[in-house]
Amino acid sequence: MATEYGQGYGLPTGPGHAQGVGGRRHLMPAALRAPVEGRAWRELAYVLLSLPISILMFTYAVTMVSLGAGLLVTFLGVPVLAAALAGCRGIGSVERARARGLLGLDVGEPEPLRLKRQGFMGWVGAVLKSGTSWRALLYSVLQLPWAVLSFTVTVTVWSLGWSLLTYPLWFWVLPTYAGQDGIQLYGDEQRAIYLDNPFEIAVTAGVGLLFTLATPWIVRALTTVDRVMVHGLLGPSRLATRVVELESDRGVVVDTAAADLRRIERDLHDGAQARLVNLAMDLGLAKEKLREDPQAAARMVDEAHGEVKTALQELRDLARGIHPAVLTDRGLDAALSAVASRCTVPVQVEVDLSERPAPAIEGIAYFTVSELLQNVSKHSRATWAAVEVWRSEERLMLQVADNGVGGADLSRGSGLAGLAERLDAVDGILVVDSPAGGPTRVTAELPWRAERAR
């Protein structure tokens, strides 16, 4: 398994520069440029559109569900209720697209309808039994009160901020057309206070600037609730997400097992099997020469003896690659020490486990450390390495560190990416910390399952 080091590192961001999306740098801090950023205007558009859309959604949902519930005493109630829920599912698709376009929220499609039987009644039953349909209905009802609140707050704060900020440009309208000196701050029967002198106008614009700068963050906080609602009510359920993850993990496990079987078959065919065939041929020739030329036969038997030793060593190496006996007999400490002894750099091994994990987890941990130490030997150019294994609550933690050149990266499809996929198949995690120039620290996390009787 090859891992690439020392590549894929960009230039560091200098002080005083804000790093933007896609590597762009901004001289202006985020708080000052937020009012004119595209994201702020898209979020504002989302909030403004939410009110009319939510009114339509609420009207449709309440009308159709009420009609279906009222008709439940007849046969028509069930299909009408199913049609109402199907319409809410369609509304959910529109809302996911709107959130994706204006909020940048990429929500996966929920689980499709599972028809147990074909036909119209099968579709009706699937719609009524689908949790996605009822969550979409709940979203259609809850969105209206929240849209009213967010619309009111957004329009009030946004219009107040920009009107006060631009007050120096339009304050002349009040004395000219409204018959008053400016914005009235206070007034009663005896006196009135107007914002009409240069100082008061400047202060008004300053207050407007504060409101204008705060408005994008207020709108962003409001749309955060919309993000939560869209993700929680219109996205796939946790159970469906977990099923998809398990199906993907099962595919990874099957592919990995198939690849391991092909590797074992190839090693047996190209290695030990070929040597055993040559050994059989040599012994056959030696048998024929035994009477005619005993000395030549003895030499051939001696050569065959060497081939037997080589074949046995290859079979031992192959068996060690499948599952080493020392791991089964003595556990991770002894097995990892044996792996470390074969590494090209000095390796310090420290295993702090009060009990042994389950054999499957123990095997994955062994092969993870073995692969990482092979990377250290082949690519890191390190002078030392260290392996630590410990338990943290219900997780088995592995860490392999070295002082090599660094630059290891999971994102480039290297051997580390394949190792991360194997760990993910059992709910494990692989984290790589490898800056250019080193050192490299790779941490793996596996679920802890205690050893049962072997």
Side-chain angles (χ1 to χ4, degrees):
M1 183 177 294
T3 304
E4 299 176 0
Y5 283 80
Q7 301 177 5
Y9 290 86
L11 296 175
T13 302
H17 296 272
Q19 189 75 18
V21 179
R24 295 176 297 176
R25 297 183 181 182
H26 299 282
L27 297 176
M28 187 181 298
L32 296 180
R33 69 174 186 270
V36 295
E37 280 188 325
R39 176 180 177 181
W41 292 102
R42 289 192 297 270
E43 291 173 341
L44 176 64
Y46 184 90
V47 173
L48 297 181
L49 289 173
S50 290
L51 183 59
I53 292 176
S54 64
I55 292 175
L56 296 176
M57 290 192 305
F58 184 87
T59 303
Y60 170 83
V62 172
T63 302
M64 291 295 293
V65 172
S66 300
L67 178 62
L71 293 175
L72 283 178
V73 294
T74 67
F75 175 76
L76 295 177
V78 174
V80 171
L81 187 58
L85 294 177
C88 290
R89 290 176 69 100
I91 290 173
S93 299
V94 174
E95 285 296 280
R96 285 192 299 272
R98 188 166 71 98
R100 186 179 304 112
L102 296 178
L103 299 182
L105 179 64
D106 192 7
V107 180
E109 295 290 330
E111 58 272 20
L113 292 177
R114 299 183 181 273
L115 300 179
K116 292 186 177 180
R117 57 177 180 173
Q118 299 299 321
F120 177 73
M121 294 309 299
W123 175 83
V124 170
V127 172
L128 293 176
K129 293 179 181 179
S130 172
T132 301
S133 305
W134 294 100
R135 291 199 306 271
L137 172 63
L138 181 60
Y139 176 85
S140 300
V141 174
L142 293 180
Q143 178 65 12
L144 177 60
W146 175 250
V148 171
L149 174 63
S150 58
F151 182 90
T152 304
V153 173
T154 298
V155 171
T156 301
V157 176
W158 186 87
S159 58
L160 179 63
W162 282 100
S163 61
L164 294 180
L165 178 62
T166 58
Y167 184 55
L169 302 177
W170 60 268
F171 79 97
W172 56 271
V173 173
L174 295 175
T176 302
Y177 296 101
Q180 63 184 45
D181 295 334
I183 295 178
Q184 184 175 345
L185 189 63
Y186 171 78
D188 55 21
E189 296 180 355
Q190 287 78 25
R191 63 193 182 105
I193 300 176
Y194 295 97
L195 303 174
D196 54 357
N197 61 61
F199 174 76
E200 293 172 346
I201 293 174
V203 171
T204 302
V207 173
L209 177 62
L210 294 179
F211 272 98
T212 302
L213 293 177
T215 298
W217 304 103
I218 295 174
V219 175
R220 192 160 300 170
L222 294 172
T223 55
T224 299
V225 179
D226 289 285
R227 289 183 172 92
V228 172
M229 292 177 62
V230 172
H231 188 275
L233 295 178
L234 300 182
S237 64
R238 295 180 61 183
L239 178 59
T241 303
R242 183 58 177 163
V243 169
V244 172
E245 290 178 355
L246 291 177
E247 289 177 348
S248 175
D249 293 344
R250 181 183 63 183
V252 172
V253 171
V254 171
D255 293 342
T256 301
D260 288 340
L261 287 175
R262 288 193 298 270
R263 176 181 60 82
I264 294 171
E265 180 183 6
R266 183 179 63 252
D267 291 343
L268 285 173
H269 182 272
D270 298 340
Q273 180 179 344
R275 291 189 179 278
L276 291 175
V277 170
N278 291 333
L279 174 62
M281 294 174 62
D282 292 341
L283 289 177
L285 292 174
K287 180 180 179 182
E288 294 178 358
K289 288 184 174 291
L290 184 60
R291 294 181 179 179
E292 300 176 359
D293 190 354
Q295 293 184 353
R299 287 196 302 269
M300 296 178 68
V301 170
D302 186 62
E303 292 175 358
H305 183 253
E307 287 289 326
V308 169
K309 291 182 178 179
T310 304
L312 287 175
Q313 183 60 42
E314 289 182 356
L315 289 174
R316 290 193 190 99
D317 294 338
L318 182 61
R320 187 184 295 114
I322 298 173
H323 195 87
V326 65
L327 178 63
T328 303
D329 297 337
R330 301 174 57 188
L332 274 175
D333 195 354
L336 294 182
S337 298
V339 172
S341 66
R342 297 193 296 270
C343 190
T344 57
V345 301
V347 180
Q348 179 181 355
V349 178
E350 183 177 349
V351 178
D352 184 15
L353 296 176
S354 58
E355 58 179 324
R356 295 180 63 175
I361 300 300
E362 192 175 56
I364 294 173
Y366 169 82
F367 287 110
T368 299
V369 174
S370 178
E371 294 286 353
L372 293 175
L373 288 181
Q374 286 186 30
N375 290 337
V376 172
S377 299
K378 296 177 181 178
H379 308 286
S380 70
R381 288 181 278 173
T383 59
W384 64 266
V387 177
E388 295 183 54
V389 182
W390 72 97
R391 178 183 177 183
S392 177
E393 296 180 353
E394 295 304 313
R395 307 293 285 182
L396 177 63
M397 309 297 296
L398 316 170
Q399 191 172 89
V400 178
D402 66 75
N403 64 342
V405 296
D409 190 357
L410 276 172
S411 63
R412 292 197 300 269
S414 62
L416 285 177
L419 190 58
E421 290 181 356
R422 292 195 179 195
L423 293 178
D424 185 64
V426 292
D427 289 336
I429 300 173
L430 188 72
V431 179
V432 179
D433 179 18
S434 182
T440 296
R441 190 179 302 273
V442 181
T443 304
E445 182 178 332
L446 291 166
W448 175 271
R449 290 196 291 269
E451 178 191 27
R452 297 180 180 179
R454 290 179 181 262

